[in-house]
Amino acid sequence: MKRNNPSPNGQATPTMSRREFLGLSVLGLGIPLAEGLTSPSAPRAASPEELAILYDPVKCVGCRACQMACKRWNNLPAESTDALGIYESPTDLSAITWTIIKLKQTDTGWHFFCYQCMHCTDAACVAVCPTGALFHDERGFVALDREKCNGCGYCTQFCPFGVPHLQTANIWTGAAKSAKCTFCQDRVWNGLGGPSCAEVCPVGALQWGKRAELLEVARARVAELQARGMNARIYGETELGGLHRLSILLDEPAQYGLPAAPGSPALARFWQKVIQPLGNALFGVALAGILGVFLFVRRKIRMEEVR
Amino acid sequence: MTVQLKDRAEAITIQWIPKYTALERLGHWLHTATFVPLAVTGMILYFPFLQPLAQGEAGLFIRLIHRVAAVLFGLLPIIYYAFQPRRLLLHIREFLPRKEDIGWLKGAPAYYLLGKHEAMPPQGRFNAGEKLNGLVMIIAWAVFGITGVPMWFGKGIIPPELFRWLVIVHDLMMIVSVCMFLVHLYLAVAHPLMWAGLVSMRFGVVSAEYAAEHHARWFYGPKRAMEIYEAKKRAAAEGKH
Ligand code: HEM
Ligand code: SF4
């Protein structure tokens, strides 16, 4: 995996003196390591321009207009599903289904949940993407450039919410393209409005707008629901540096199948911030060491004397 | 074979003795020919500054090369030893660590940097450094296979938590094996003491004189090699007094 923000890879310059060389090796190891551990994990500071979607399960009537609007705007084909006798159809996101309504039985009853990309600030998918195909729009959402995607599928394995899916053309060659909710990036970029799911929702269960403003709306709504005796809370205010898909939950996140403290990008971060710089430094030290030895040996050992 | 050197009056005679079989050399070079493309294509996914090569169609092609090379890389040693089972036993015996290896590794810096090879414990057909390289490559072969195959086919089958660790282990193995490879490459092509190694790996032969000096246990047999070594050490100790 590569980091998206290139960092100095700490290649020490070759040198003749052993002490100097050792000193530089330590520097070579130290700089990227220190850089890696101290640099902020969030790609940028929260900006007032950031957008978000807010989902309110109390308003949701489960009509799945969002699911259909997503398909239509993004030109996604229908999926054939089995009649499982349950409300969810299909039962999970896929390369051609980017938004679904889930029906969850929690301790407090049956609740809908609109399941789509959470547009994390600290997005594991962006961190592990070797191509830059997944990236943050300056308004905070996680966009996807399918032209750049090479189908490696790391995003599908590192996302803590299991959101991106590969549209696999051939499992032998690995030819594939990643697919996920893009916050309707083409609508936002072309000034056509916001995400089609939120635009179409007939009851205002999905709204889109400035993230800061939606947080205010969510806080007021949670207070109101709590006053009505519901176990309401906001999900996504601080999780993973702040999600750009905010949700009101009526129970523990785990009851919705959501990680309470989504920590799986920790492995992606650990990798990028610690092991990757360490690897670069080792290459640097190895190359510098070999060059140093080469220059030294060239003067010390004369080919003619070797039988 | 006699060679006339420019700056010497008399011709010198080199006696060549066989060191590697043709199949051993073929195996070595096929291993190289698959390892290098694997390392290069893998690093294109790994290094941020190579990102343009990893994108879109180019990236897909890079990944395809990685997979084709991986199949060969994985199968070649199996095919080789299937046809040469006795070589497997020989190689295992030759590559197992021995207690002289420690002495050799201790002497290695002076050997490689200053050309002091008098004090080196006698070595077999492979010296302790070559054995270390071989050991890393054997481990790498297994680790790349164990992590790479599920990375290829395992998405959606194995738990994502496991996949994440596999990528990390695959990358760590790449870092270790590529560092080892760089050292091996330098010693093979650029180090003045090691020129004979490259000759042997190309033509299969080594000069008797070089073999006696650098691979004494292989050239003389263990007992005689030890006697010569002890005698050299005694002579050196007396010389000091
Ligand atoms: C049996 C041999 C091997 C197999 C089956 C294998 C398989 C794979 C697979 C499936 C990937 C993921 C990319 C994709 O899906 O196309 C990958 C990535 C990679 N491989 Fe291999 N590989 C093997 C050997 C090697 C070797 C010998 C090296 C280097 C010396 C290497 C270095 C890498 C690197 C650096 C990556 C990129 C990981 C990242 O994105 O950071 N692999 N390999
Ligand atoms: S939910 Fe998954 S796909 Fe969406 S931004 Fe977060 S890590 Fe990426």
mmCIF file with all atom_site columns, all heavy atoms in Angstrom, chain A residues 1-2 131 148 150 152 157 172 174 264 271 307, chain B residues 44-47 54-56 63 155 164 171:
data_model
loop_
_atom_site.group_PDB
_atom_site.id
_atom_site.type_symbol
_atom_site.label_atom_id
_atom_site.label_alt_id
_atom_site.label_comp_id
_atom_site.label_asym_id
_atom_site.label_entity_id
_atom_site.label_seq_id
_atom_site.pdbx_PDB_ins_code
_atom_site.Cartn_x
_atom_site.Cartn_y
_atom_site.Cartn_z
_atom_site.occupancy
_atom_site.B_iso_or_equiv
_atom_site.pdbx_formal_charge
_atom_site.auth_seq_id
_atom_site.auth_comp_id
_atom_site.auth_asym_id
_atom_site.auth_atom_id
_atom_site.pdbx_PDB_model_num
ATOM 1   N N   . MET A 1 1   ? 0.840   -1.203  0.000   1.00 0.00 ? 1   MET A N   1
ATOM 2   C CA  . MET A 1 1   ? 0.000   0.000   0.000   1.00 0.00 ? 1   MET A CA  1
ATOM 3   C C   . MET A 1 1   ? 0.861   1.232   0.000   1.00 0.00 ? 1   MET A C   1
ATOM 4   O O   . MET A 1 1   ? 1.925   1.255   0.581   1.00 0.00 ? 1   MET A O   1
ATOM 5   C CB  . MET A 1 1   ? -0.778  0.049   1.296   1.00 0.00 ? 1   MET A CB  1
ATOM 6   C CG  . MET A 1 1   ? -2.028  -0.687  1.253   1.00 0.00 ? 1   MET A CG  1
ATOM 7   S SD  . MET A 1 1   ? -2.487  -0.929  2.939   1.00 0.00 ? 1   MET A SD  1
ATOM 8   C CE  . MET A 1 1   ? -1.354  -2.151  3.433   1.00 0.00 ? 1   MET A CE  1
ATOM 9   N N   . LYS A 1 2   ? 0.395   2.250   -0.641  1.00 0.00 ? 2   LYS A N   1
ATOM 10  C CA  . LYS A 1 2   ? 1.179   3.468   -0.613  1.00 0.00 ? 2   LYS A CA  1
ATOM 11  C C   . LYS A 1 2   ? 0.371   4.558   0.043   1.00 0.00 ? 2   LYS A C   1
ATOM 12  O O   . LYS A 1 2   ? -0.845  4.526   0.064   1.00 0.00 ? 2   LYS A O   1
ATOM 13  C CB  . LYS A 1 2   ? 1.614   3.851   -2.015  1.00 0.00 ? 2   LYS A CB  1
ATOM 14  C CG  . LYS A 1 2   ? 0.447   4.195   -2.935  1.00 0.00 ? 2   LYS A CG  1
ATOM 15  C CD  . LYS A 1 2   ? 0.943   4.575   -4.288  1.00 0.00 ? 2   LYS A CD  1
ATOM 16  C CE  . LYS A 1 2   ? 1.697   3.471   -4.962  1.00 0.00 ? 2   LYS A CE  1
ATOM 17  N NZ  . LYS A 1 2   ? 2.006   3.741   -6.337  1.00 0.00 ? 2   LYS A NZ  1
ATOM 18  N N   . THR A 1 131 ? -3.734  4.101   -6.171  1.00 0.00 ? 131 THR A N   1
ATOM 19  C CA  . THR A 1 131 ? -3.804  4.848   -7.421  1.00 0.00 ? 131 THR A CA  1
ATOM 20  C C   . THR A 1 131 ? -4.273  6.280   -7.235  1.00 0.00 ? 131 THR A C   1
ATOM 21  O O   . THR A 1 131 ? -4.176  7.070   -8.166  1.00 0.00 ? 131 THR A O   1
ATOM 22  C CB  . THR A 1 131 ? -4.800  4.178   -8.381  1.00 0.00 ? 131 THR A CB  1
ATOM 23  O OG1 . THR A 1 131 ? -6.090  4.234   -7.776  1.00 0.00 ? 131 THR A OG1 1
ATOM 24  C CG2 . THR A 1 131 ? -4.417  2.739   -8.659  1.00 0.00 ? 131 THR A CG2 1
ATOM 25  N N   . LYS A 1 148 ? -9.006  5.987   -12.903 1.00 0.00 ? 148 LYS A N   1
ATOM 26  C CA  . LYS A 1 148 ? -7.720  5.732   -12.242 1.00 0.00 ? 148 LYS A CA  1
ATOM 27  C C   . LYS A 1 148 ? -7.686  4.381   -11.552 1.00 0.00 ? 148 LYS A C   1
ATOM 28  O O   . LYS A 1 148 ? -6.620  3.820   -11.319 1.00 0.00 ? 148 LYS A O   1
ATOM 29  C CB  . LYS A 1 148 ? -7.431  6.825   -11.211 1.00 0.00 ? 148 LYS A CB  1
ATOM 30  C CG  . LYS A 1 148 ? -6.978  8.138   -11.843 1.00 0.00 ? 148 LYS A CG  1
ATOM 31  C CD  . LYS A 1 148 ? -6.492  9.086   -10.770 1.00 0.00 ? 148 LYS A CD  1
ATOM 32  C CE  . LYS A 1 148 ? -6.074  10.410  -11.405 1.00 0.00 ? 148 LYS A CE  1
ATOM 33  N NZ  . LYS A 1 148 ? -6.144  11.491  -10.434 1.00 0.00 ? 148 LYS A NZ  1
ATOM 34  N N   . ASN A 1 150 ? -7.428  0.647   -10.561 1.00 0.00 ? 150 ASN A N   1
ATOM 35  C CA  . ASN A 1 150 ? -6.838  -0.494  -11.271 1.00 0.00 ? 150 ASN A CA  1
ATOM 36  C C   . ASN A 1 150 ? -7.411  -1.818  -10.782 1.00 0.00 ? 150 ASN A C   1
ATOM 37  O O   . ASN A 1 150 ? -6.944  -2.884  -11.174 1.00 0.00 ? 150 ASN A O   1
ATOM 38  C CB  . ASN A 1 150 ? -5.306  -0.470  -11.190 1.00 0.00 ? 150 ASN A CB  1
ATOM 39  C CG  . ASN A 1 150 ? -4.764  -0.855  -9.820  1.00 0.00 ? 150 ASN A CG  1
ATOM 40  O OD1 . ASN A 1 150 ? -5.477  -1.388  -8.979  1.00 0.00 ? 150 ASN A OD1 1
ATOM 41  N ND2 . ASN A 1 150 ? -3.501  -0.606  -9.594  1.00 0.00 ? 150 ASN A ND2 1
ATOM 42  N N   . CYS A 1 152 ? -7.439  -3.228  -7.686  1.00 0.00 ? 152 CYS A N   1
ATOM 43  C CA  . CYS A 1 152 ? -6.713  -4.052  -6.699  1.00 0.00 ? 152 CYS A CA  1
ATOM 44  C C   . CYS A 1 152 ? -7.634  -4.495  -5.573  1.00 0.00 ? 152 CYS A C   1
ATOM 45  O O   . CYS A 1 152 ? -7.407  -5.532  -4.966  1.00 0.00 ? 152 CYS A O   1
ATOM 46  C CB  . CYS A 1 152 ? -5.504  -3.300  -6.150  1.00 0.00 ? 152 CYS A CB  1
ATOM 47  S SG  . CYS A 1 152 ? -5.922  -1.989  -4.973  1.00 0.00 ? 152 CYS A SG  1
ATOM 48  N N   . GLN A 1 157 ? -11.416 -4.285  1.290   1.00 0.00 ? 157 GLN A N   1
ATOM 49  C CA  . GLN A 1 157 ? -10.989 -5.066  2.440   1.00 0.00 ? 157 GLN A CA  1
ATOM 50  C C   . GLN A 1 157 ? -10.665 -4.200  3.660   1.00 0.00 ? 157 GLN A C   1
ATOM 51  O O   . GLN A 1 157 ? -10.605 -4.692  4.773   1.00 0.00 ? 157 GLN A O   1
ATOM 52  C CB  . GLN A 1 157 ? -9.752  -5.905  2.078   1.00 0.00 ? 157 GLN A CB  1
ATOM 53  C CG  . GLN A 1 157 ? -9.972  -6.826  0.892   1.00 0.00 ? 157 GLN A CG  1
ATOM 54  C CD  . GLN A 1 157 ? -11.081 -7.828  1.152   1.00 0.00 ? 157 GLN A CD  1
ATOM 55  O OE1 . GLN A 1 157 ? -11.056 -8.567  2.129   1.00 0.00 ? 157 GLN A OE1 1
ATOM 56  N NE2 . GLN A 1 157 ? -12.074 -7.835  0.279   1.00 0.00 ? 157 GLN A NE2 1
ATOM 57  N N   . TRP A 1 172 ? -9.145  -14.279 -12.624 1.00 0.00 ? 172 TRP A N   1
ATOM 58  C CA  . TRP A 1 172 ? -7.767  -14.755 -12.848 1.00 0.00 ? 172 TRP A CA  1
ATOM 59  C C   . TRP A 1 172 ? -6.821  -13.586 -13.074 1.00 0.00 ? 172 TRP A C   1
ATOM 60  O O   . TRP A 1 172 ? -5.750  -13.526 -12.481 1.00 0.00 ? 172 TRP A O   1
ATOM 61  C CB  . TRP A 1 172 ? -7.720  -15.725 -14.022 1.00 0.00 ? 172 TRP A CB  1
ATOM 62  C CG  . TRP A 1 172 ? -8.478  -16.974 -13.713 1.00 0.00 ? 172 TRP A CG  1
ATOM 63  C CD1 . TRP A 1 172 ? -9.767  -17.255 -14.066 1.00 0.00 ? 172 TRP A CD1 1
ATOM 64  C CD2 . TRP A 1 172 ? -8.025  -18.085 -12.938 1.00 0.00 ? 172 TRP A CD2 1
ATOM 65  N NE1 . TRP A 1 172 ? -10.133 -18.478 -13.572 1.00 0.00 ? 172 TRP A NE1 1
ATOM 66  C CE2 . TRP A 1 172 ? -9.081  -19.007 -12.884 1.00 0.00 ? 172 TRP A CE2 1
ATOM 67  C CE3 . TRP A 1 172 ? -6.827  -18.389 -12.293 1.00 0.00 ? 172 TRP A CE3 1
ATOM 68  C CZ2 . TRP A 1 172 ? -8.974  -20.232 -12.210 1.00 0.00 ? 172 TRP A CZ2 1
ATOM 69  C CZ3 . TRP A 1 172 ? -6.719  -19.598 -11.622 1.00 0.00 ? 172 TRP A CZ3 1
ATOM 70  C CH2 . TRP A 1 172 ? -7.788  -20.501 -11.579 1.00 0.00 ? 172 TRP A CH2 1
ATOM 71  N N   . GLY A 1 174 ? -7.656  -10.514 -12.431 1.00 0.00 ? 174 GLY A N   1
ATOM 72  C CA  . GLY A 1 174 ? -7.917  -9.490  -11.428 1.00 0.00 ? 174 GLY A CA  1
ATOM 73  C C   . GLY A 1 174 ? -8.489  -8.222  -12.031 1.00 0.00 ? 174 GLY A C   1
ATOM 74  O O   . GLY A 1 174 ? -8.573  -7.199  -11.366 1.00 0.00 ? 174 GLY A O   1
ATOM 75  N N   . SER A 1 264 ? -10.878 -0.143  12.573  1.00 0.00 ? 264 SER A N   1
ATOM 76  C CA  . SER A 1 264 ? -10.096 -0.980  11.665  1.00 0.00 ? 264 SER A CA  1
ATOM 77  C C   . SER A 1 264 ? -9.130  -0.213  10.784  1.00 0.00 ? 264 SER A C   1
ATOM 78  O O   . SER A 1 264 ? -8.126  -0.753  10.365  1.00 0.00 ? 264 SER A O   1
ATOM 79  C CB  . SER A 1 264 ? -11.008 -1.858  10.824  1.00 0.00 ? 264 SER A CB  1
ATOM 80  O OG  . SER A 1 264 ? -12.128 -1.141  10.414  1.00 0.00 ? 264 SER A OG  1
ATOM 81  N N   . TRP A 1 271 ? 0.149   0.833   9.179   1.00 0.00 ? 271 TRP A N   1
ATOM 82  C CA  . TRP A 1 271 ? 0.951   0.478   8.020   1.00 0.00 ? 271 TRP A CA  1
ATOM 83  C C   . TRP A 1 271 ? 1.566   1.708   7.382   1.00 0.00 ? 271 TRP A C   1
ATOM 84  O O   . TRP A 1 271 ? 2.769   1.827   7.222   1.00 0.00 ? 271 TRP A O   1
ATOM 85  C CB  . TRP A 1 271 ? 0.089   -0.275  7.009   1.00 0.00 ? 271 TRP A CB  1
ATOM 86  C CG  . TRP A 1 271 ? 0.836   -0.496  5.762   1.00 0.00 ? 271 TRP A CG  1
ATOM 87  C CD1 . TRP A 1 271 ? 0.589   0.044   4.553   1.00 0.00 ? 271 TRP A CD1 1
ATOM 88  C CD2 . TRP A 1 271 ? 2.019   -1.273  5.619   1.00 0.00 ? 271 TRP A CD2 1
ATOM 89  N NE1 . TRP A 1 271 ? 1.540   -0.345  3.663   1.00 0.00 ? 271 TRP A NE1 1
ATOM 90  C CE2 . TRP A 1 271 ? 2.427   -1.143  4.290   1.00 0.00 ? 271 TRP A CE2 1
ATOM 91  C CE3 . TRP A 1 271 ? 2.772   -2.044  6.505   1.00 0.00 ? 271 TRP A CE3 1
ATOM 92  C CZ2 . TRP A 1 271 ? 3.557   -1.777  3.805   1.00 0.00 ? 271 TRP A CZ2 1
ATOM 93  C CZ3 . TRP A 1 271 ? 3.911   -2.671  6.023   1.00 0.00 ? 271 TRP A CZ3 1
ATOM 94  C CH2 . TRP A 1 271 ? 4.285   -2.538  4.690   1.00 0.00 ? 271 TRP A CH2 1
ATOM 95  N N   . ARG A 1 307 ? 42.890  -13.219 -6.954  1.00 0.00 ? 307 ARG A N   1
ATOM 96  C CA  . ARG A 1 307 ? 43.002  -14.312 -7.920  1.00 0.00 ? 307 ARG A CA  1
ATOM 97  C C   . ARG A 1 307 ? 41.628  -14.885 -8.211  1.00 0.00 ? 307 ARG A C   1
ATOM 98  O O   . ARG A 1 307 ? 40.830  -15.069 -7.301  1.00 0.00 ? 307 ARG A O   1
ATOM 99  C CB  . ARG A 1 307 ? 43.908  -15.408 -7.359  1.00 0.00 ? 307 ARG A CB  1
ATOM 100 C CG  . ARG A 1 307 ? 45.365  -14.996 -7.405  1.00 0.00 ? 307 ARG A CG  1
ATOM 101 C CD  . ARG A 1 307 ? 46.168  -15.946 -6.583  1.00 0.00 ? 307 ARG A CD  1
ATOM 102 N NE  . ARG A 1 307 ? 45.648  -15.956 -5.204  1.00 0.00 ? 307 ARG A NE  1
ATOM 103 C CZ  . ARG A 1 307 ? 46.213  -16.640 -4.237  1.00 0.00 ? 307 ARG A CZ  1
ATOM 104 N NH1 . ARG A 1 307 ? 47.265  -17.374 -4.464  1.00 0.00 ? 307 ARG A NH1 1
ATOM 105 N NH2 . ARG A 1 307 ? 45.726  -16.596 -3.030  1.00 0.00 ? 307 ARG A NH2 1
ATOM 106 N N   . ILE B 2 44  ? 5.551   -0.864  -7.745  1.00 0.00 ? 44  ILE B N   1
ATOM 107 C CA  . ILE B 2 44  ? 4.735   0.159   -8.406  1.00 0.00 ? 44  ILE B CA  1
ATOM 108 C C   . ILE B 2 44  ? 3.445   0.377   -7.604  1.00 0.00 ? 44  ILE B C   1
ATOM 109 O O   . ILE B 2 44  ? 2.963   1.501   -7.475  1.00 0.00 ? 44  ILE B O   1
ATOM 110 C CB  . ILE B 2 44  ? 4.449   -0.229  -9.865  1.00 0.00 ? 44  ILE B CB  1
ATOM 111 C CG1 . ILE B 2 44  ? 5.747   -0.080  -10.667 1.00 0.00 ? 44  ILE B CG1 1
ATOM 112 C CG2 . ILE B 2 44  ? 3.334   0.611   -10.472 1.00 0.00 ? 44  ILE B CG2 1
ATOM 113 C CD1 . ILE B 2 44  ? 5.685   -0.582  -12.079 1.00 0.00 ? 44  ILE B CD1 1
ATOM 114 N N   . LEU B 2 45  ? 2.916   -0.708  -7.025  1.00 0.00 ? 45  LEU B N   1
ATOM 115 C CA  . LEU B 2 45  ? 1.748   -0.536  -6.153  1.00 0.00 ? 45  LEU B CA  1
ATOM 116 C C   . LEU B 2 45  ? 2.145   0.060   -4.810  1.00 0.00 ? 45  LEU B C   1
ATOM 117 O O   . LEU B 2 45  ? 1.325   0.654   -4.121  1.00 0.00 ? 45  LEU B O   1
ATOM 118 C CB  . LEU B 2 45  ? 1.057   -1.884  -5.903  1.00 0.00 ? 45  LEU B CB  1
ATOM 119 C CG  . LEU B 2 45  ? 0.361   -2.564  -7.071  1.00 0.00 ? 45  LEU B CG  1
ATOM 120 C CD1 . LEU B 2 45  ? -0.239  -3.880  -6.626  1.00 0.00 ? 45  LEU B CD1 1
ATOM 121 C CD2 . LEU B 2 45  ? -0.718  -1.668  -7.641  1.00 0.00 ? 45  LEU B CD2 1
ATOM 122 N N   . TYR B 2 46  ? 3.411   -0.111  -4.440  1.00 0.00 ? 46  TYR B N   1
ATOM 123 C CA  . TYR B 2 46  ? 3.845   0.235   -3.088  1.00 0.00 ? 46  TYR B CA  1
ATOM 124 C C   . TYR B 2 46  ? 4.324   1.677   -2.970  1.00 0.00 ? 46  TYR B C   1
ATOM 125 O O   . TYR B 2 46  ? 4.004   2.365   -2.011  1.00 0.00 ? 46  TYR B O   1
ATOM 126 C CB  . TYR B 2 46  ? 4.957   -0.734  -2.686  1.00 0.00 ? 46  TYR B CB  1
ATOM 127 C CG  . TYR B 2 46  ? 5.647   -0.451  -1.385  1.00 0.00 ? 46  TYR B CG  1
ATOM 128 C CD1 . TYR B 2 46  ? 5.166   -0.966  -0.182  1.00 0.00 ? 46  TYR B CD1 1
ATOM 129 C CD2 . TYR B 2 46  ? 6.799   0.324   -1.347  1.00 0.00 ? 46  TYR B CD2 1
ATOM 130 C CE1 . TYR B 2 46  ? 5.812   -0.713  1.009   1.00 0.00 ? 46  TYR B CE1 1
ATOM 131 C CE2 . TYR B 2 46  ? 7.454   0.587   -0.153  1.00 0.00 ? 46  TYR B CE2 1
ATOM 132 C CZ  . TYR B 2 46  ? 6.956   0.063   1.013   1.00 0.00 ? 46  TYR B CZ  1
ATOM 133 O OH  . TYR B 2 46  ? 7.593   0.326   2.196   1.00 0.00 ? 46  TYR B OH  1
ATOM 134 N N   . PHE B 2 47  ? 5.110   2.142   -3.952  1.00 0.00 ? 47  PHE B N   1
ATOM 135 C CA  . PHE B 2 47  ? 5.725   3.464   -3.825  1.00 0.00 ? 47  PHE B CA  1
ATOM 136 C C   . PHE B 2 47  ? 4.800   4.576   -4.322  1.00 0.00 ? 47  PHE B C   1
ATOM 137 O O   . PHE B 2 47  ? 4.355   4.546   -5.467  1.00 0.00 ? 47  PHE B O   1
ATOM 138 C CB  . PHE B 2 47  ? 7.031   3.535   -4.609  1.00 0.00 ? 47  PHE B CB  1
ATOM 139 C CG  . PHE B 2 47  ? 8.203   2.994   -3.857  1.00 0.00 ? 47  PHE B CG  1
ATOM 140 C CD1 . PHE B 2 47  ? 8.912   1.916   -4.343  1.00 0.00 ? 47  PHE B CD1 1
ATOM 141 C CD2 . PHE B 2 47  ? 8.591   3.564   -2.655  1.00 0.00 ? 47  PHE B CD2 1
ATOM 142 C CE1 . PHE B 2 47  ? 9.994   1.412   -3.648  1.00 0.00 ? 47  PHE B CE1 1
ATOM 143 C CE2 . PHE B 2 47  ? 9.676   3.072   -1.960  1.00 0.00 ? 47  PHE B CE2 1
ATOM 144 C CZ  . PHE B 2 47  ? 10.381  1.990   -2.460  1.00 0.00 ? 47  PHE B CZ  1
ATOM 145 N N   . ALA B 2 54  ? 0.557   3.004   -11.609 1.00 0.00 ? 54  ALA B N   1
ATOM 146 C CA  . ALA B 2 54  ? -0.374  2.068   -10.972 1.00 0.00 ? 54  ALA B CA  1
ATOM 147 C C   . ALA B 2 54  ? -1.814  2.346   -11.368 1.00 0.00 ? 54  ALA B C   1
ATOM 148 O O   . ALA B 2 54  ? -2.711  1.601   -11.012 1.00 0.00 ? 54  ALA B O   1
ATOM 149 C CB  . ALA B 2 54  ? -0.221  2.139   -9.447  1.00 0.00 ? 54  ALA B CB  1
ATOM 150 N N   . GLN B 2 55  ? -2.029  3.433   -12.113 1.00 0.00 ? 55  GLN B N   1
ATOM 151 C CA  . GLN B 2 55  ? -3.412  3.859   -12.360 1.00 0.00 ? 55  GLN B CA  1
ATOM 152 C C   . GLN B 2 55  ? -4.031  3.209   -13.599 1.00 0.00 ? 55  GLN B C   1
ATOM 153 O O   . GLN B 2 55  ? -3.349  2.958   -14.592 1.00 0.00 ? 55  GLN B O   1
ATOM 154 C CB  . GLN B 2 55  ? -3.449  5.378   -12.524 1.00 0.00 ? 55  GLN B CB  1
ATOM 155 C CG  . GLN B 2 55  ? -3.194  6.111   -11.215 1.00 0.00 ? 55  GLN B CG  1
ATOM 156 C CD  . GLN B 2 55  ? -3.022  7.603   -11.403 1.00 0.00 ? 55  GLN B CD  1
ATOM 157 O OE1 . GLN B 2 55  ? -2.723  8.059   -12.491 1.00 0.00 ? 55  GLN B OE1 1
ATOM 158 N NE2 . GLN B 2 55  ? -3.205  8.352   -10.321 1.00 0.00 ? 55  GLN B NE2 1
ATOM 159 N N   . GLY B 2 56  ? -5.319  2.985   -13.521 1.00 0.00 ? 56  GLY B N   1
ATOM 160 C CA  . GLY B 2 56  ? -6.128  2.577   -14.674 1.00 0.00 ? 56  GLY B CA  1
ATOM 161 C C   . GLY B 2 56  ? -5.594  1.370   -15.423 1.00 0.00 ? 56  GLY B C   1
ATOM 162 O O   . GLY B 2 56  ? -5.207  0.371   -14.820 1.00 0.00 ? 56  GLY B O   1
ATOM 163 N N   . ARG B 2 63  ? -0.537  -5.333  -12.618 1.00 0.00 ? 63  ARG B N   1
ATOM 164 C CA  . ARG B 2 63  ? -1.050  -6.385  -11.747 1.00 0.00 ? 63  ARG B CA  1
ATOM 165 C C   . ARG B 2 63  ? -1.076  -7.716  -12.478 1.00 0.00 ? 63  ARG B C   1
ATOM 166 O O   . ARG B 2 63  ? -0.854  -8.770  -11.883 1.00 0.00 ? 63  ARG B O   1
ATOM 167 C CB  . ARG B 2 63  ? -2.444  -6.020  -11.227 1.00 0.00 ? 63  ARG B CB  1
ATOM 168 C CG  . ARG B 2 63  ? -2.399  -4.888  -10.197 1.00 0.00 ? 63  ARG B CG  1
ATOM 169 C CD  . ARG B 2 63  ? -3.785  -4.497  -9.713  1.00 0.00 ? 63  ARG B CD  1
ATOM 170 N NE  . ARG B 2 63  ? -4.529  -5.634  -9.247  1.00 0.00 ? 63  ARG B NE  1
ATOM 171 C CZ  . ARG B 2 63  ? -5.752  -5.961  -9.660  1.00 0.00 ? 63  ARG B CZ  1
ATOM 172 N NH1 . ARG B 2 63  ? -6.366  -5.204  -10.545 1.00 0.00 ? 63  ARG B NH1 1
ATOM 173 N NH2 . ARG B 2 63  ? -6.339  -7.026  -9.194  1.00 0.00 ? 63  ARG B NH2 1
ATOM 174 N N   . LYS B 2 155 ? -10.532 -12.396 -1.654  1.00 0.00 ? 155 LYS B N   1
ATOM 175 C CA  . LYS B 2 155 ? -11.434 -11.285 -1.343  1.00 0.00 ? 155 LYS B CA  1
ATOM 176 C C   . LYS B 2 155 ? -12.877 -11.776 -1.320  1.00 0.00 ? 155 LYS B C   1
ATOM 177 O O   . LYS B 2 155 ? -13.343 -12.398 -2.269  1.00 0.00 ? 155 LYS B O   1
ATOM 178 C CB  . LYS B 2 155 ? -11.278 -10.168 -2.372  1.00 0.00 ? 155 LYS B CB  1
ATOM 179 C CG  . LYS B 2 155 ? -10.155 -9.208  -2.014  1.00 0.00 ? 155 LYS B CG  1
ATOM 180 C CD  . LYS B 2 155 ? -9.883  -8.199  -3.114  1.00 0.00 ? 155 LYS B CD  1
ATOM 181 C CE  . LYS B 2 155 ? -9.015  -8.814  -4.163  1.00 0.00 ? 155 LYS B CE  1
ATOM 182 N NZ  . LYS B 2 155 ? -8.357  -7.963  -5.107  1.00 0.00 ? 155 LYS B NZ  1
ATOM 183 N N   . ARG B 2 164 ? -6.143  -7.831  5.582   1.00 0.00 ? 164 ARG B N   1
ATOM 184 C CA  . ARG B 2 164 ? -5.328  -6.658  5.908   1.00 0.00 ? 164 ARG B CA  1
ATOM 185 C C   . ARG B 2 164 ? -3.942  -7.094  6.368   1.00 0.00 ? 164 ARG B C   1
ATOM 186 O O   . ARG B 2 164 ? -2.934  -6.511  5.960   1.00 0.00 ? 164 ARG B O   1
ATOM 187 C CB  . ARG B 2 164 ? -6.008  -5.839  7.003   1.00 0.00 ? 164 ARG B CB  1
ATOM 188 C CG  . ARG B 2 164 ? -7.311  -5.223  6.527   1.00 0.00 ? 164 ARG B CG  1
ATOM 189 C CD  . ARG B 2 164 ? -8.139  -4.657  7.665   1.00 0.00 ? 164 ARG B CD  1
ATOM 190 N NE  . ARG B 2 164 ? -9.512  -4.431  7.200   1.00 0.00 ? 164 ARG B NE  1
ATOM 191 C CZ  . ARG B 2 164 ? -10.538 -4.195  7.994   1.00 0.00 ? 164 ARG B CZ  1
ATOM 192 N NH1 . ARG B 2 164 ? -10.380 -4.148  9.304   1.00 0.00 ? 164 ARG B NH1 1
ATOM 193 N NH2 . ARG B 2 164 ? -11.733 -4.018  7.488   1.00 0.00 ? 164 ARG B NH2 1
ATOM 194 N N   . ASP B 2 171 ? 4.022   -7.087  2.112   1.00 0.00 ? 171 ASP B N   1
ATOM 195 C CA  . ASP B 2 171 ? 4.872   -5.908  1.939   1.00 0.00 ? 171 ASP B CA  1
ATOM 196 C C   . ASP B 2 171 ? 6.141   -5.990  2.775   1.00 0.00 ? 171 ASP B C   1
ATOM 197 O O   . ASP B 2 171 ? 7.218   -5.633  2.315   1.00 0.00 ? 171 ASP B O   1
ATOM 198 C CB  . ASP B 2 171 ? 4.091   -4.637  2.302   1.00 0.00 ? 171 ASP B CB  1
ATOM 199 C CG  . ASP B 2 171 ? 3.276   -4.119  1.125   1.00 0.00 ? 171 ASP B CG  1
ATOM 200 O OD1 . ASP B 2 171 ? 3.473   -4.614  0.007   1.00 0.00 ? 171 ASP B OD1 1
ATOM 201 O OD2 . ASP B 2 171 ? 2.451   -3.212  1.326   1.00 0.00 ? 171 ASP B OD2 1
#
